[in-house]
Amino acid sequence: MTNDSDRDLVGRVARGDRAAVRLLFMRHHARVYRFVARQTGSEAMADDIANEVFLELWRQAPRFEGRSEVSTWLLGIARFKALSHLRKKSEAWLDEDAAAAVADSADTPEVTVMKENKAAALRRMVDALPEEHRTVVDLAYYHGKSVAEIGEILSIPVATVKTRMFYARKKLGEALKAAGHDRGWP
């Protein structure tokens, strides 16, 4: 049962199999939650929306055509729901500085501080990007999505994704340089 592919599980969900929903939930909930938390800046909103995504999976499974990976489909649903919630609600924002302060115990304290400072600066720089650039950076670097998958999630052409990524990288490189950070390690 746990060796089933995501597509097979969606097929089982379409036939009313609740165990298949639970398996997909276990496989993808954390990714959906993190994606929504980054989009909304709210852990509480992310938790609610992530749960709604899996309810939507239950409702929409019979209409899943398999033209994309299940994870891409779920993130597309999550993005739509996050945007809808942001239009309706405003909540307390996630404290990004506290999230960036989590230390990597494998590094020396000096390296950890250097990484944390650079990561916090980079996170602020990413957050300062226009929404269209910030979203492609988030999907590519924080969720490991390909250019094609990003295009599908955002419902835009692949060329547009590439253009947005190019300008986002350019702006981030300029911002890092202006802030005195080397683009390399750490």
Side-chain angles (χ1 to χ4, degrees), residues 22-164:
R22 284 191 294 275
L23 281 171
L24 286 167
F25 183 89
M26 290 186 314
R27 288 181 185 176
H28 298 286
H29 181 266
R31 174 179 282 157
V32 169
Y33 172 84
R34 286 190 306 265
F35 175 71
V36 175
R38 286 287 312 128
Q39 295 298 305
T40 63
S42 168
E43 290 177 340
M45 191 182 294
D47 193 40
D48 290 343
I49 293 171
N51 290 330
E52 287 180 29
V53 167
F54 289 93
L55 285 173
E56 196 67 24
L57 162 68
W58 178 257
R59 289 185 208 115
Q60 297 295 327
R63 291 188 277 276
F64 179 67
E65 297 176 0
R67 292 182 298 182
S68 66
E69 292 296 321
V70 172
S71 63
T72 302
W73 181 54
L74 292 173
L75 289 178
I77 294 170
R79 179 176 182 271
F80 176 78
K81 290 198 170 290
L83 291 173
S84 295
H85 276 267
L86 287 173
R87 287 184 197 113
K88 294 177 190 173
K89 297 180 181 181
S90 68
E91 290 190 33
W93 294 95
L94 172 67
D95 183 2
E96 293 295 329
D97 293 329
V102 176
D104 181 359
S105 61
D107 291 326
T108 65
E110 295 83 14
V111 171
T112 300
V113 169
M114 288 171 53
K115 284 182 177 181
E116 287 174 353
N117 289 341
K118 187 172 183 181
L122 187 57
R123 183 77 260 150
R124 285 190 303 274
M125 291 170 194
V126 169
D127 289 342
L129 290 172
E131 192 268 334
E132 62 188 14
H133 295 149
R134 184 176 58 247
T135 301
V136 294
V137 168
D138 183 58
L139 287 169
Y141 294 105
Y142 294 97
H143 295 282
K145 293 298 178 185
S146 69
V147 171
E149 290 172 321
I150 293 169
E152 187 172 332
I153 290 168
L154 301 179
S155 301
I156 59 176
V158 169
T160 303
V161 174
K162 290 178 181 179
T163 301
R164 288 180 183 177

